Amino acid sequence: MDRVSTLPDGVLCHILSFLPTKQAALSSVLSKSWLNLWKLVPNLDIDDSEFLHPEEGKGERDEIRQSFVDFVDRVLALQRDSPIKKFSLKSITCVHPDHVNRWISTVLQRGVSDLALFIDFSFEDIEDGYNLPNEMFVSRTLVELKIRSERYVDWWRRDVGGRDRGSVLPMLKTLDIDSEFIYCGEMERFLPSFPVLEKLRMADMEWTESDETVSSASLKKLSIHGTGCEGFRNPKSISFDTPSLLSFNYSDLVAEDYPLVNMKALFEARINFIVTENQIKRVRAPNDDSLEDDEGDVILRFGNVVKLMNGIQSVQKLYLTADTLEVLSLCCESVPLFNNLKTLGITSEEDRGWQAMPVILRKCPYIEFLLVEGLLHYVTDKCGDACDCIFREDKGRSLTSCPVKKLEIRGFRGTIKEMTMIKHFLVYFPCLKDMNIYVEENDPTELRFPEVSKVINQIMEEYNKFSSCNVQLLVTDYLSEKWTAKGRIL
């Protein structure tokens, strides 16, 4: 007996809603009772990759693209006016944007609340960028919108004369746009279109004006992956007036000023300042007249990032990239105390310095967990009391006052320099109880050689003897036989 078929239609439709639409449609051949069920499914998941495999290059043929267009048209027609809750469209075979916009308009008219678009077009079809359909900008049902595109996406509604008519999406809570380039106009005009917006992610975006303000009373999660102003220029001024913000992910060229940063509710922040090699040279020697470039005045104003740090000082979790540490070296003495901070994460690179690390650690008086992604860094005369790179009389001073209890090191390569730094941490972090050291899969590492792994194993045992800290080396399964157990504790 077919017990599944005896279930109520509502339950069967719910089950079918978890399947890609093409597979859900195939259920109609099971029996007469299944014939029309898939037409009532409120979630549509349409993926053109199902029309491409297994033949390589199949998507380039006009008849394949047309069969996909016919399929989507037929699905939407057979459903008639049935309400749609979620519509996911993946179209990477360069279907003409007129077809895509027709489908988007149809599901919007049928009350879709969750819209996910993964789309790509040929350059000839959207030479001036991809324009979303007008219905997108006045939807009163849309709650979540995600757009992924390899092309330029133009977010503005225009009339026949090309004049901006703006947009209003009163129910939208999540907006996630990731494309080659996003045009959304000035932020002060863009964000008011979404009065209840809670989550905003934009990548890769370019600031339209050199002075911009991100202002939203409802926003709780903000992720910006920017490329500065036109021509990869540093913005003059960026402000954030987001009093309800809880999570902030900011990756962009450094603005020359951050006059307003209102983030009093902030819980977690990730800061990645993007800088050029010439700017790094200027950061390390801001008063060196022998450097022949035009970065001098801009770099001097990079010290204004302290205003951004002041605005996020309520965070409990903070993650800083290697370039960010370099920029903060210009103003680290002015950085505020992070009295709420419990977790600090930093990313290191061999050509980026730790000049700011000693002061940053001292500015986190209640830190409990420190995450370091990569120990190797560029040696300068200012990083010495946080690491063991150069001799200093005040060696380890910033560590001895740091209350961190757990240290996690990622990207360990098994070099002598890293082992020396690990011992330095064990000696000078007075409250350290646990240290986890991870070897990342596919990273270049000395641990591939049995003789090296044997020596490091012995050193780890010695560390556990002289230190009250529990030291664990966690390795991945691509190494030699001795190291195959992923997560093995030595």
Side-chain angles (χ1 to χ4, degrees):
M1 179 180 178
D2 181 7
R3 294 184 178 181
V4 175
S5 296
T6 63
L7 294 173
D9 287 353
V11 174
L12 294 176
C13 286
H14 182 68
I15 294 172
L16 290 176
S17 69
F18 292 98
L19 296 175
T21 299
K22 188 174 182 180
Q23 295 181 24
L26 293 175
S27 66
S28 62
V29 303
L30 295 176
S31 68
K32 288 184 178 180
S33 61
W34 287 84
L35 184 61
N36 295 309
L37 279 178
W38 74 273
K39 302 175 186 178
L40 304 176
V41 173
N43 297 346
L44 296 180
D45 182 358
I46 297 174
D47 185 348
D48 65 358
S49 66
E50 297 181 16
F51 289 75
L52 307 182
H53 302 299
E55 194 175 330
E56 190 71 24
K58 193 176 177 182
E60 298 175 3
R61 302 207 314 248
D62 290 340
E63 60 267 27
I64 297 301
R65 279 195 290 270
Q66 188 57 50
S67 69
F68 175 68
V69 170
D70 292 342
F71 170 75
V72 181
D73 285 342
R74 188 163 58 252
V75 167
L76 293 175
L78 288 172
Q79 284 209 326
R80 298 182 181 177
D81 294 326
S82 298
I84 296 176
K85 292 182 180 179
K86 182 177 181 178
F87 183 70
S88 176
L89 173 66
K90 182 179 179 181
S91 174
I92 59 172
T93 55
C94 297
V95 170
H96 196 278
D98 287 349
H99 296 302
V100 173
N101 282 356
R102 185 176 72 250
W103 300 331
I104 294 172
S105 298
T106 297
V107 298
L108 286 169
Q109 291 166 8
R110 288 164 58 180
V112 68
S113 60
D114 187 343
L115 181 59
L117 305 172
F118 303 82
I119 48 181
D120 192 16
F121 305 105
S122 67
F123 179 77
E124 292 77 12
D125 288 338
I126 55 164
E127 187 172 350
D128 296 324
Y130 169 54
N131 294 300
L132 294 157
N134 278 340
E135 289 83 354
M136 177 78 78
F137 304 101
V138 291
S139 170
R140 295 190 172 275
T141 60
L142 206 54
V143 177
E144 295 188 27
L145 174 60
K146 177 185 290 186
I147 301 174
R148 296 283 185 273
S149 178
E150 296 296 323
R151 305 297 181 186
Y152 158 50
V153 173
D154 189 350
W155 179 281
W156 278 113
R157 180 182 178 224
R158 296 176 175 84
D159 60 20
V160 177
R163 293 169 295 186
D164 171 29
R165 297 180 62 186
S167 60
V168 179
L169 286 87
M171 300 296 290
L172 194 70
K173 292 187 176 182
T174 299
L175 177 59
D176 185 337
I177 306 179
D178 189 339
S179 70
E180 181 185 41
F181 171 72
I182 306 166
Y183 178 75
C184 61
E186 299 173 32
M187 275 289 173
E188 289 178 299
R189 298 176 60 198
F190 175 68
L191 284 176
S193 303
F194 322 110
V196 297
L197 191 66
E198 296 180 356
K199 298 179 182 179
L200 174 62
R201 178 179 179 271
M202 303 188 74
D204 291 309
M205 66 162 290
E206 182 179 275
W207 301 101
T208 304
E209 301 293 331
S210 59
D211 299 281
E212 292 269 14
T213 298
V214 178
S215 180
S216 171
S218 60
L219 208 57
K220 295 180 180 178
K221 186 173 183 178
L222 174 61
S223 181
I224 291 178
H225 300 266
T227 58
C229 295
E230 185 178 0
F232 206 69
R233 294 179 295 109
N234 294 85
K236 294 290 184 183
S237 168
I238 302 294
S239 292
F240 297 94
D241 187 11
T242 50
S244 302
L245 200 65
L246 300 175
S247 176
F248 181 45
N249 189 341
Y250 178 58
S251 177
D252 199 0
L253 275 67
V254 188
E256 295 181 26
D257 196 13
Y258 295 90
L260 173 64
V261 182
N262 179 13
M263 299 183 184
K264 294 182 174 62
L266 197 63
F267 176 80
E268 178 179 12
R270 297 175 182 271
I271 309 296
N272 176 35
F273 292 132
I274 301 173
V275 290
T276 65
E277 291 302 321
N278 282 339
Q279 289 173 343
I280 287 292
K281 292 178 183 178
R282 272 291 178 184
V283 165
R284 293 174 183 167
N287 300 315
D288 189 350
D289 295 332
S290 66
L291 294 175
E292 298 181 1
D293 55 51
D294 55 359
E295 302 283 5
D297 292 340
V298 174
I299 296 301
L300 289 176
R301 289 191 285 273
F302 276 12
N304 285 327
V305 298
V306 72
K307 297 179 182 180
L308 179 65
M309 304 307 286
N310 281 328
I312 68 171
Q313 63 181 293
S314 65
V315 292
Q316 296 185 38
K317 295 182 178 182
L318 177 61
Y319 301 91
L320 307 173
T321 63
D323 281 353
T324 301
L325 286 177
E326 286 274 8
V327 174
L328 288 177
S329 67
L330 291 171
C331 62
C332 54
E333 293 292 348
S334 302
V335 167
L337 285 174
F338 289 87
N339 287 319
N340 296 332
L341 194 71
K342 302 296 182 183
T343 297
L344 174 64
I346 67 162
T347 302
S348 292
E349 296 177 10
E350 292 188 62
D351 58 351
R352 296 293 185 260
W354 273 19
Q355 304 95 298
M357 273 294 289
V359 177
I360 295 296
L361 289 175
R362 293 199 295 270
K363 296 287 186 173
C364 305
Y366 303 106
I367 183 177
E368 296 178 357
F369 176 46
L370 176 62
L371 167 64
V372 181
E373 297 192 35
L375 286 174
L376 301 180
H377 59 276
Y378 180 80
V379 178
T380 70
D381 60 351
K382 295 182 180 180
C383 63
D385 77 337
C387 62
D388 198 40
C389 298
I390 58 176
F391 176 78
R392 291 173 61 118
E393 291 185 0
D394 59 351
K395 180 179 177 180
R397 180 168 62 94
S398 64
L399 307 189
T400 56
S401 61
C402 183
V404 65
K405 296 184 175 79
K406 182 176 180 180
L407 173 61
E408 184 172 302
I409 297 169
R410 298 180 184 174
F412 179 67
R413 299 181 184 177
T415 64
I416 296 299
K417 186 174 182 179
E418 289 172 300
M419 297 301 296
T420 302
M421 288 188 64
I422 289 171
K423 184 176 181 179
H424 178 73
F425 292 150
L426 288 169
V427 170
Y428 288 101
F429 274 130
C431 303
L432 196 61
K433 300 298 181 185
D434 295 290
M435 179 187 291
N436 291 339
I437 306 166
Y438 290 88
V439 179
E440 303 293 340
E441 191 169 10
N442 299 325
D443 262 8
T445 171
E446 299 295 320
L447 300 177
R448 293 180 181 274
F449 304 103
E451 62 273 16
V452 176
S453 65
K454 182 178 180 180
V455 171
I456 290 178
N457 192 23
Q458 292 172 347
I459 294 173
M460 288 296 174
E461 290 177 356
E462 290 298 317
Y463 283 175
N464 279 317
K465 287 180 181 178
F466 83 78
S467 173
S468 60
C469 176
N470 179 34
V471 183
Q472 301 181 106
L473 183 59
L474 307 176
V475 300
T476 49
D477 55 9
Y478 76 98
L479 300 173
S480 61
E481 187 175 351
K482 179 178 175 60
W483 302 76
T484 52
K486 187 172 183 179
R488 180 179 177 184
I489 300 173
L490 300 181

